[in-house]
Amino acid sequence: MDLAVWRANVNNQTVTTEPVPESWQRLAGRALIPRILLDEIPPMCDPLGPFNKLLFAPGLLVGHMLSSCDRISVGAKSPLTGGVKEANAGGTTGLKLVHLGIKALIIEGAPAGNGWLLLHLSQEGGRFELADDVTGLGIEESAARLRERYGDKVGIALIGPAGEMMMASAGIQNLDKDGSPARIAARGGLGAVMGSKRLKAIIIDMPDYKAPPLADEALYKDAKKRYMKSLTSHPQTKVYSDYGTSAVATMCNGFGAIPVNNFSVGQFDSIDKISGDNLRDTILERGGDGDTSHACMPGCVIRSSNCFADPEGKKITTPLEYETIGLVGSNLGIDSFDTIAKLNQEMNDLGVDTIEMGAALGVAADAGLMEFGDGERAMELLQEVRQGTPLGRILGQGATTVGKVYSIRRVPAVKGQAISAYDPRAIKGTGVTYATSPQGADHTAGLTIRAKVDHLDPMAQVEVSRTAQFNMAGYDTLGACVFSGFGYATAPGAIRDLIRGQYGWDIGEDALQALGRETLALERAFNKAAGFTAADDRLPEWMTTEPLPPTNAVFDVPAEELDRVFD
Ligand code: SF4
């Protein structure tokens, strides 16, 4: 089965297939996004205009249910940053696209009318349908109706009200393996791009398992065995299985780097209430729908995801991740998991990035629109977003817009995109990543919290960030979850042999770094063509002058250091 490019034009509502161009064949996932953008869109185009394209590209390893390696990369020119954007998600979208034979799905054109569309993809091809009965609905209700109509074996990628209103905080939700619409390609406003095409949902109607062929089955199987052995025996696999990403909360607090009250403090007085230990204990104590260890995609043995239930054991939200605990919890001065989970679920249903919206609410609190710690008011503000009031639309455009409208200088964002739940003044390597990543501020572009380095030393961060950025871009290109790295790190040559085994390509020992280097070069080329310069690779000025208690660190990595990251 040769993978193909599927092209869906929302203007004339046609879906065509074509062979993969030569120059795209060895690319996939995150690496394929900037290649297609460079080849097919004017870099200076309006992200919400007719020339931008919305791309879905499964990673290189997707299709075999190799543990934690079936992620989907979604991309476009970002309405939030104005540059290249790739946001990836777990769930079933990537797997089902590959099983349908799709290397890249390109959604292009401008809608001809005011109606909303669904794109249905199956072994018979693709077709557009009307989305009247799900337009305006939240993610949960939309997904439930679509599953009722198309069956519970389909994959779905969809937007909520925020995407329909083309808000720059909107992401694209994907079904997890149990049909819950909770795996969001969150960052950079890709939901707004989908909204600009008036496309409510993509239905991937592929019930069959049809993995791509292997060039060398024995080599692939051997590499898989080594990877799985390494992964299952790595101590961090158990930590993430038991605690998920919330395990990081206490560690980050210990470094004085957890965001508190709009990034004004780096340690949270109530850290014990929002710790990984407390999250696990609460979920186990309540029982019912709660689950401390859930797999977002078939075959994942790490199972870092979770489900948080109320005291009666009824599900409030899934998943409750550290980034949300940081941005929607401590960053808003909120220390109750129940409140954070309800806000998380509301954001999931609106279809927004919890990092961007949590940061926007933090800036809103500095502007006097809510008190820190007031979860009820935060929920009221989210209702403004849902109703599309002028205030809701300002919040929905993200932290940078809120800062501009209310004249707040303390806006935690780079290239217009909100900073994740690691304050870069206390973990400076991650600050280097935020500053220099072509994606804008994003911990998944190169988190350095586990690096053996003095996180406060401004001169020790460039190599650490560079290595992390190449690794992460490599994993994103493979379609591999970052936590698969526990397995790959201790199974030398496994990535090389998986690629050789699947594709027969001659690829070197440093496959991961090589893939990452190539991906970042393409992304930087797109951003350069879109008008970015070194001046964009900086943290906000206030972070270089405002000390962060309790370390009282400022971000003091010199500009020359930042400029040599990709030299
Ligand atoms: S480790 Fe977590 S995020 Fe990664 S694939 Fe498994 S469940 Fe999904």
Side-chain angles (χ1 to χ4, degrees), residues 48-84:
L48 301 179
F51 302 116
N52 199 8
K53 302 192 180 189
L54 180 65
L55 313 171
F56 288 74
L60 277 174
L61 296 178
V62 174
H64 291 273
M65 292 208 297
L66 182 66
S67 179
S68 331
C69 294
D70 282 319
R71 288 179 80 83
I72 181 70
S73 286
V74 188
K77 177 172 174 171
S78 165
L80 195 61
T81 70
V84 65

Coordinates of all heavy atoms in Angstrom, one line a residue, residues 48-84:
L48 N -5.9 33.3 8.2 CA -7.3 32.9 8.1 C -7.9 33.2 6.7 O -9.1 33.1 6.5 CB -8.1 33.7 9.2 CG -7.6 33.5 10.6 CD1 -8.5 34.3 11.6 CD2 -7.7 32.0 11.0
G49 N -7.0 33.4 5.8 CA -7.5 33.7 4.4 C -7.4 32.5 3.5 O -7.1 31.4 3.9
P50 N -7.8 32.7 2.3 CA -8.0 31.5 1.3 C -6.6 30.8 0.9 O -6.7 29.7 0.5 CB -8.6 32.2 0.1 CG -8.2 33.6 0.2 CD -8.2 34.0 1.6
F51 N -5.5 31.5 1.1 CA -4.2 30.9 0.7 C -3.6 30.0 1.7 O -2.7 29.2 1.4 CB -3.3 32.0 0.2 CG -3.8 32.8 -0.9 CD1 -4.0 34.2 -0.7 CD2 -4.1 32.2 -2.1 CE1 -4.6 34.9 -1.7 CE2 -4.7 33.0 -3.1 CZ -4.9 34.3 -3.0
N52 N -4.0 30.1 3.0 CA -3.4 29.3 4.0 C -4.0 27.8 3.8 O -5.2 27.7 3.3 CB -3.7 29.8 5.4 CG -2.8 29.2 6.5 OD1 -1.8 28.5 6.2 ND2 -3.1 29.4 7.7
K53 N -3.3 26.8 4.2 CA -3.8 25.5 4.1 C -3.7 24.8 5.5 O -2.7 25.0 6.2 CB -3.0 24.7 3.1 CG -3.1 25.4 1.7 CD -2.6 24.5 0.6 CE -2.7 25.2 -0.7 NZ -2.4 24.4 -1.9
L54 N -4.6 23.9 5.8 CA -4.6 23.2 7.0 C -4.2 21.8 6.7 O -4.7 21.1 5.8 CB -6.0 23.1 7.6 CG -6.2 22.4 8.9 CD1 -5.4 23.0 10.1 CD2 -7.7 22.3 9.3
L55 N -3.1 21.3 7.4 CA -2.5 20.1 7.0 C -2.6 19.0 8.2 O -2.4 19.4 9.3 CB -1.0 20.3 6.8 CG -0.7 21.5 5.8 CD1 0.8 21.8 5.8 CD2 -1.2 21.3 4.4
F56 N -2.8 17.8 7.8 CA -2.7 16.7 8.8 C -1.7 15.7 8.2 O -1.8 15.2 7.1 CB -4.1 16.0 8.9 CG -5.1 16.8 9.6 CD1 -5.8 17.8 9.0 CD2 -5.5 16.4 10.9 CE1 -6.7 18.6 9.7 CE2 -6.5 17.1 11.6 CZ -7.1 18.2 11.0
A57 N -0.7 15.4 9.0 CA 0.4 14.6 8.6 C 0.8 13.6 9.7 O 1.4 14.0 10.7 CB 1.6 15.4 8.1
P58 N 0.5 12.3 9.6 CA 0.9 11.3 10.6 C 2.5 11.2 10.5 O 3.1 11.4 9.5 CB 0.3 10.0 10.1 CG -0.8 10.4 9.1 CD -0.3 11.7 8.5
G59 N 3.0 10.9 11.7 CA 4.5 10.7 11.7 C 5.0 9.5 11.0 O 4.2 8.6 10.6
L60 N 6.3 9.4 10.9 CA 7.0 8.3 10.1 C 6.6 6.9 10.6 O 6.5 6.0 9.8 CB 8.5 8.5 10.2 CG 9.2 9.5 9.2 CD1 10.6 9.5 9.5 CD2 8.9 9.0 7.7
L61 N 6.5 6.8 11.9 CA 6.3 5.5 12.5 C 4.8 5.1 12.7 O 4.5 4.0 13.2 CB 7.0 5.3 13.9 CG 8.5 5.5 13.8 CD1 9.1 5.4 15.3 CD2 9.2 4.4 13.0
V62 N 3.9 6.0 12.4 CA 2.5 5.8 12.6 C 1.9 4.7 11.8 O 2.3 4.5 10.6 CB 1.7 7.1 12.4 CG1 0.2 6.9 12.5 CG2 2.2 8.2 13.3
G63 N 1.1 3.9 12.4 CA 0.4 2.9 11.6 C 0.5 1.5 12.1 O -0.2 0.6 11.7
H64 N 1.5 1.3 13.0 CA 1.7 -0.1 13.5 C 1.4 -0.4 15.0 O 1.7 -1.4 15.5 CB 3.2 -0.4 13.3 CG 3.6 -0.6 11.8 ND1 3.4 -1.7 11.1 CD2 4.0 0.4 10.9 CE1 3.8 -1.6 9.9 NE2 4.1 -0.3 9.7
M65 N 0.7 0.6 15.6 CA 0.4 0.5 17.0 C 1.6 0.2 17.8 O 1.6 -0.6 18.8 CB -0.7 -0.5 17.3 CG -2.0 0.0 16.7 SD -3.5 -0.5 17.5 CE -3.5 -2.3 17.2
L66 N 2.8 0.8 17.4 CA 4.0 0.7 18.2 C 3.7 1.6 19.4 O 3.3 2.7 19.2 CB 5.1 1.2 17.4 CG 6.5 1.2 18.0 CD1 7.0 -0.2 18.2 CD2 7.5 1.9 17.0
S67 N 4.0 1.2 20.6 CA 3.6 1.9 21.8 C 4.0 3.4 21.7 O 5.1 3.8 21.5 CB 4.3 1.4 23.1 OG 3.9 2.1 24.2
S68 N 2.9 4.2 21.9 CA 3.1 5.7 22.0 C 3.6 6.4 20.7 O 4.1 7.5 20.8 CB 4.0 6.1 23.1 OG 3.9 5.1 24.2
C69 N 3.4 5.7 19.6 CA 4.0 6.2 18.3 C 3.0 6.4 17.2 O 3.3 6.2 16.0 CB 5.2 5.3 17.9 SG 6.6 5.4 19.0
D70 N 1.8 6.8 17.5 CA 0.8 7.0 16.5 C 0.2 8.4 16.5 O -1.0 8.6 16.3 CB -0.3 5.9 16.6 CG 0.1 4.6 16.1 OD1 0.7 4.5 15.1 OD2 -0.2 3.5 16.8
R71 N 1.1 9.4 16.7 CA 0.6 10.7 16.8 C 0.3 11.4 15.5 O 1.0 11.1 14.5 CB 1.5 11.6 17.7 CG 1.5 11.2 19.2 CD 2.4 12.0 20.0 NE 1.9 13.3 20.3 CZ 1.1 13.6 21.4 NH1 0.7 12.6 22.1 NH2 0.7 14.8 21.6
I72 N -0.6 12.3 15.5 CA -0.9 13.1 14.3 C -0.3 14.5 14.5 O -0.5 15.1 15.5 CB -2.4 13.2 14.0 CG1 -2.7 13.9 12.8 CG2 -3.2 13.8 15.2 CD1 -2.3 13.3 11.5
S73 N 0.4 15.0 13.4 CA 0.8 16.4 13.4 C -0.2 17.2 12.6 O -0.6 16.8 11.5 CB 2.2 16.5 12.7 OG 3.2 16.1 13.6
V74 N -0.7 18.3 13.1 CA -1.6 19.2 12.4 C -0.8 20.5 12.2 O -0.1 20.9 13.1 CB -2.9 19.4 13.2 CG1 -3.9 20.2 12.4 CG2 -3.5 18.1 13.7
G75 N -1.0 21.1 11.1 CA -0.2 22.3 10.8 C -0.8 23.3 9.9 O -1.8 23.0 9.2
A76 N -0.3 24.5 9.9 CA -0.7 25.6 9.0 C 0.1 26.8 9.4 O 1.0 26.7 10.3 CB -2.2 26.0 9.3
K77 N 0.0 27.9 8.7 CA 0.5 29.2 9.2 C -0.4 29.6 10.3 O -1.6 29.6 10.2 CB 0.5 30.2 8.1 CG 1.0 31.6 8.6 CD 1.2 32.6 7.5 CE 1.6 33.9 8.1 NZ 2.0 34.9 7.1
S78 N 0.3 29.9 11.5 CA -0.5 30.1 12.7 C -1.1 31.5 12.8 O -0.4 32.5 12.6 CB 0.5 30.0 13.9 OG -0.1 30.5 15.1
P79 N -2.4 31.6 13.1 CA -3.0 32.9 13.4 C -2.5 33.5 14.7 O -2.7 34.7 14.9 CB -4.5 32.6 13.4 CG -4.6 31.1 13.6 CD -3.3 30.5 13.2
L80 N -1.9 32.8 15.5 CA -1.4 33.3 16.8 C 0.0 33.9 16.7 O 0.3 35.0 17.2 CB -1.4 32.2 17.9 CG -1.3 32.6 19.3 CD1 -2.5 33.5 19.8 CD2 -1.3 31.4 20.2
T81 N 0.9 33.2 16.0 CA 2.3 33.6 15.9 C 2.6 34.2 14.5 O 3.6 35.0 14.4 CB 3.2 32.4 16.0 OG1 3.1 31.6 14.9 CG2 2.9 31.6 17.3
G82 N 1.8 33.9 13.5 CA 2.1 34.4 12.1 C 3.2 33.6 11.5 O 3.7 33.9 10.4
G83 N 3.7 32.5 12.2 CA 4.7 31.7 11.6 C 4.3 30.3 11.4 O 3.1 30.0 11.5
V84 N 5.2 29.4 11.2 CA 4.9 28.0 11.0 C 4.3 27.4 12.3 O 4.7 27.8 13.4 CB 6.2 27.2 10.7 CG1 7.2 27.2 11.8 CG2 5.9 25.8 10.3

